[in-house]
Amino acid sequence: MGAGALAVPHSRKTALLAPQLPRGLISCGAMSTVLDVLERALSAAGGHHQDDAVAPACVLWLDPSGEWAPALPLLRGQRDVLSLGEFDPEARRGPAIWIRSVVDTGAPRPPVVYVPGVTRDVLRSEAVPDALRPLVDLQFRGVPFLAPRQRAWTVAAFLKAQGVDVADSAKGAVAGHLDTLMQMTVEELRDRSPLTAGTLGRLAFPDLPGLLLGWLSSGEAVSDALREAFQAEYGVDVRAGQPEVARALVARTGPLAGVWERFASNPAAFAGVRGALEAAAPAQVTWTPGQVPQWPQVNRAAETALHEGLAALVDVPAGEARAGVLNLEAAHAPRRGSVWEQWGEAPLVQALAPLAALAEATAVGTPGSSPAELADWYAREGHRVDLAALQALGAVEGAADSAVVAGVVRALTLEWLTRVNERFAALVLAGAPLPGPVSGTWTATPGLAVVFVDGLRFDTATLLADLLAAHAPQVTWQFAALPTITPTAKPAVSPAAAELTAHPDGGLALAHGKRAVNAAVLRDALGQVGFLSAPGGGLPDPAGAAWLETGNLDSLGHGQGLHLACLLPGELRRIADRVQQLLDAGFREVRVITDHGWLLLPGGLPKADLPAALAAFKKGRCAVLKPGNASGYPAAPWAWNPDVQVTLAPGIHSFEAGEVYAHGGLSLQETVIPVLTVRGGAAPQAVSIDQVRWVGNRCRLHLSGAQDCLVDLRTRAADPASSLLTAPRPVGADGTASVLVAGDDLDGLAATLVVLRGDQIVRERPLKIGDNA
């Protein structure tokens, strides 16, 4: 009997025995995805009883609308799916005759034959197109994949069969999101049903706000599905163009309010939105006090108004300046934190916050009836005036904005600085000399590092403490030695102070034994009392006590003036890194000290006349007069020899004209100096380099406490790129290490041996390549 004679009887038997798909389709677990359910449904459609003579040749899946096409790549990962279309064997796609040839190979598991754009009626018609004729008998040799009532499955109907309702308005869009829906669990979709167009958009595009902002930023074309999702969720049609959508975004109605919040939280991520807003703004924009600007033009108008308002406060009395600043703060504070401030387009509103703090702080009285009480008040509260002034000056960089902020800072602080410091000086000059710095009496103990920072004023020390907050820093204060200049005050705060005396030649010179004190002599004196300095500015041994110097604040103040406020954060960060490095290296306690503070006043300190002919020594804030001369200015005994009288510039005056930054006088800012203390946790074992021996180009080392460390040889200690080795070498359990330098041309080259714990340098030693080989 021929194959053709068997076709119809077999098809009838198969049709009778093949599973018919009920409304619930097939059972599925809570975690089954739509893809899982679809695959099971196709498998069920192609199933047959064991007593069948012949299994079905295929599962014939007719999809008149072609909406299931996005599911095919996912299905092909689980079973063989052939699809009608342009020939592409790798994609398992081809014409009807190719599909027929594949089906006729008789695979153990019936393939799925997907036929888009074709109805059952077309295949059953006597006028079936020639291109489809090879598929006609598959209606009988295979089994159809059909919904109840012998209808083709639509995506909406298939989901409905799983208990997932699709809103009528979304049925046309659901197929466009099939790739997303296929990978979601049925339970998830049931929880979200009925599926609306908006729900589909959110499912397909989880970050829909980010996508809308991305389009607004770039203007690039989007898919129809994404365009429809924007329309459904936000009511905007991107085909109308960026200006139209930008205006809707600024209006922030409905869900677009959340899109604006997303934008405002990180505007830098959508930089192009700014241009879209600029282009979409109304022709006439004005700023109303208390308003948060939505358009860049409005923000610019607000900044202009603020600039004009601040400019009107320059050179006015302090009380008027305070009232004016606080009025401006009330009007402009809502702009703080806006997208324009984050973009750096509202620098004046950033400066306004510390200016308002400055206005309030300078209105407060000055408590205390002794130098110590006044100093204690300054350390608790008064230094906030100086801090606010620095923060205001550091918030702006443009010349015009910097000038107007500086003018307002002067108007707010000149009267306050004069008032509090004239009172402080009067109390000091009327009583006993100020006590010497407590740090001058410190003794060396293992694991103690004293870090000297020239010109670390009390307010800047509180900022440094913030950077070291993880170590619970303590900030206390002590009086500086008079006059508050480095040659006098630095030796006085050092633990070697007791080793030094006034130089017999007079003046303000100091001596250590028979040597005049300079930086090298001071280090020697410190070494004699147990505070050792590391060679080459490296890391000292945490097994002992150490003296280190870091920071560049005083030099920046003298060289940069008001610009110090802008440079301050970076300089303090470097100082904090040095302190952290010491703690990481094993020091149990680090104390940061300084010699003096400073006065900083925009427009310059008031001038006090002191003819140069009268002075043997003269700085901006202090002088030593020649014998027999008098000036009428206050004087105080030199800290190292009370027989030497130091003439002081009165109040906050300077003997030099136009000095913006100065020290050497008697003010709270110069005289009340910080002591910042941080303590480490359990310190690692101290690392020491016990032996360095060259054998040819190989350096053999012995170290203590370095079993978990690496060693490297560098031409620049802090720069890993300057290494002379292929890679840092480990230290053995016995403390030995060996490094090899390639090439004889490096003999005699100066280098630094560094010991690393992780990426952190914990020990250094300068050497020469091949030395004493």
Side-chain angles (χ1 to χ4, degrees):
M1 190 177 292
L6 291 174
V8 172
H10 164 76
S11 67
R12 289 174 180 168
K13 185 176 183 181
T14 302
L16 290 172
L17 297 177
Q20 297 301 307
L21 303 178
R23 184 171 179 80
L25 202 59
I26 65 172
S27 63
C28 59
M31 297 307 292
S32 294
T33 64
V34 175
L35 176 62
D36 294 334
V37 178
L38 178 61
E39 198 280 330
R40 288 179 203 152
L42 289 165
S43 295
H48 65 287
H49 291 291
Q50 295 298 321
D51 59 351
D52 274 355
V54 181
C58 67
V59 175
L60 186 63
W61 185 2
L62 300 180
D63 181 15
S65 63
E67 63 186 49
W68 286 101
L72 300 190
L74 298 172
L75 278 170
R76 287 192 180 107
Q78 303 186 36
R79 64 179 302 138
D80 191 19
V81 179
L82 311 174
S83 59
L84 181 68
E86 238 180 80
F87 186 58
D88 183 351
E90 289 187 6
R92 303 295 282 167
R93 184 175 67 243
I97 191 63
W98 173 80
I99 290 175
R100 173 66 178 269
S101 68
V102 175
V103 169
D104 287 346
T105 58
R109 186 183 188 192
V112 174
V113 175
Y114 174 75
V115 184
V118 177
T119 64
R120 293 184 74 197
D121 291 342
V122 170
L123 282 184
R124 291 180 173 185
S125 169
E126 293 182 0
V128 61
D130 290 344
L132 296 178
R133 285 188 179 278
L135 302 180
V136 170
D137 79 328
L138 294 184
Q139 298 177 89
F140 311 107
R141 294 172 53 207
V143 291
F145 180 55
L146 292 173
R149 300 181 183 177
Q150 302 295 297
R151 294 179 179 175
W153 280 111
T154 64
V155 174
F158 188 84
L159 292 173
K160 178 70 174 178
Q162 306 310 312
V164 180
D165 290 331
V166 179
D168 290 342
S169 60
K171 287 181 178 178
V174 70
H177 299 284
L178 187 58
D179 52 350
T180 299
L181 297 174
M182 291 288 288
Q183 299 178 68
M184 296 186 66
T185 68
V186 172
E187 191 65 30
E188 284 181 291
L189 293 177
R190 285 174 184 162
D191 290 343
R192 295 172 182 266
S193 65
L195 300 183
T196 63
T199 303
L200 291 171
R202 288 189 293 275
L203 291 176
F205 308 105
D207 186 21
L208 202 57
L211 291 171
L212 181 60
L213 290 169
W215 172 82
L216 196 57
S217 183
S218 67
E220 296 178 356
V222 299
S223 66
D224 289 343
L226 182 55
R227 177 181 58 78
E228 291 168 1
F230 290 154
Q231 180 77 54
E233 182 69 11
Y234 304 121
V236 297
D237 188 346
V238 297
R239 292 174 297 187
Q242 288 172 287
E244 187 66 30
V245 176
R247 283 188 281 271
L249 177 63
V250 168
R252 288 189 276 180
T253 56
L256 283 172
V259 180
W260 180 271
E261 289 176 7
R262 169 71 179 279
F263 168 58
S265 68
N266 186 17
F270 308 101
V273 172
R274 191 206 174 286
L277 294 174
E278 183 91 33
Q284 298 295 325
V285 292
T286 57
W287 175 72
T288 302
Q291 178 192 59
V292 180
Q294 309 305 319
W295 304 105
Q297 294 92 325
V298 176
N299 176 69
R300 285 199 296 272
E303 277 289 289
T304 298
L306 179 53
H307 188 282
E308 293 170 351
L310 291 173
L313 302 178
V314 176
D315 296 329
V316 303
E320 185 178 338
R322 282 194 287 268
V325 165
L326 294 176
N327 286 336
L328 289 171
E329 169 69 3
H332 290 269
R335 295 200 294 126
R336 200 165 294 123
S338 68
V339 296
W340 319 114
E341 185 190 28
Q342 294 180 63
W343 260 323
E345 296 182 17
L348 285 176
V349 84
Q350 286 184 311
L352 187 57
L355 284 175
L358 186 60
E360 292 176 344
T362 52
V364 176
T366 308
S369 57
S370 70
E373 289 179 357
L374 203 54
D376 194 54
W377 164 81
Y378 176 76
R380 287 194 325 272
E381 300 177 25
H383 72 274
R384 294 173 186 164
V385 170
D386 301 316
L387 182 58
L390 282 176
Q391 290 171 332
L393 293 168
V396 290
E397 292 188 358
D401 287 346
S402 295
V404 74
V405 170
V408 175
V409 168
R410 181 180 178 87
L412 291 171
T413 58
L414 177 59
E415 180 273 336
W416 182 86
L417 287 170
T418 301
R419 170 165 45 92
V420 300
N421 285 311
E422 285 182 349
R423 184 177 181 196
F424 176 65
L427 290 171
V428 171
L429 297 172
L434 296 177
V438 175
S439 59
T441 65
W442 289 344
T443 56
T445 57
L448 170 63
V450 177
V451 178
F452 174 81
V453 180
D454 193 4
L456 182 69
R457 197 168 69 172
F458 193 91
D459 56 325
T460 59
T462 65
L463 295 177
L464 179 60
D466 290 341
L467 296 176
L468 295 166
H471 300 287
Q474 297 176 331
V475 183
T476 57
W477 63 272
Q478 59 184 347
F479 281 123
L482 295 180
T484 50
I485 55 176
T486 297
T488 287
K490 179 180 177 180
V493 299
S494 78
E499 302 293 310
L500 311 176
T501 60
H503 200 284
D505 290 346
L508 299 183
L510 295 174
H512 179 229
K514 295 183 178 180
R515 296 185 298 168
V517 172
N518 55 25
V521 171
L522 180 59
R523 282 195 299 271
D524 289 345
L526 285 160
Q528 291 179 18
V529 296
F531 287 88
L532 302 179
S533 299
L539 280 170
D541 190 343
W547 168 272
L548 300 94
E549 299 183 19
T550 190
N552 201 30
L553 294 174
D554 192 48
S555 177
L556 289 173
H558 286 296
Q560 300 293 325
L562 294 183
H563 192 53
L564 169 64
C566 297
L567 302 174
L568 192 60
E571 191 64 19
L572 291 176
R573 179 71 267 171
R574 283 185 283 275
I575 297 169
D577 289 344
R578 186 61 163 166
V579 172
Q580 184 65 56
Q581 188 181 40
L582 292 168
L583 294 172
D584 292 341
F587 281 94
R588 289 175 171 80
E589 183 174 343
V590 180
R591 300 175 190 168
V592 183
I593 61 172
T594 191
D595 49 354
H596 59 76
W598 27 271
L599 289 170
L600 184 75
L601 184 65
L605 300 174
K607 174 73 163 57
D609 291 325
L610 181 67
L614 299 180
F617 166 88
K618 186 173 80 166
K619 287 280 191 179
R621 293 272 292 149
C622 64
V624 175
L625 301 183
K626 294 176 182 178
N629 287 331
S631 67
Y633 295 125
W638 181 36
W640 293 92
N641 182 356
D643 293 335
V644 177
Q645 291 292 304
V646 179
T647 298
L648 303 170
I652 61 167
H653 285 66
S654 172
F655 294 137
E656 303 291 340
E659 279 201 315
V660 171
Y661 173 98
H663 59 88
L666 182 57
S667 69
L668 289 165
Q669 286 75 15
E670 296 161 288
T671 310
V672 180
I673 54 176
V675 177
L676 188 154
T677 303
V678 294
R679 295 178 176 85
Q685 184 178 355
V687 174
S688 64
I689 302 173
D690 304 325
Q691 186 180 73
V692 178
R693 183 167 63 92
W694 287 95
V695 180
N697 287 353
R698 184 174 294 278
C699 184
R700 301 188 183 279
L701 308 165
H702 189 276
L703 305 96
S704 298
Q707 284 77 7
D708 59 343
C709 295
L710 302 172
V711 292
D712 199 0
L713 197 59
R714 302 172 177 177
T715 56
R716 297 180 300 278
D719 183 6
S722 71
S723 176
L724 300 174
L725 309 180
T726 55
R729 305 299 300 166
V731 178
D734 59 354
T736 62
S738 176
V739 299
L740 178 65
V741 179
D744 297 330
D745 57 337
L746 298 179
D747 282 354
L749 177 69
T752 302
L753 179 70
V754 297
V755 185
L756 302 161
R757 182 175 282 122
D759 294 330
Q760 184 67 52
I761 298 175
V762 295
R763 204 78 177 98
E764 300 177 6
R765 176 182 287 189
L767 49 71
K768 290 185 178 179
I769 306 298
D771 196 22
N772 297 320

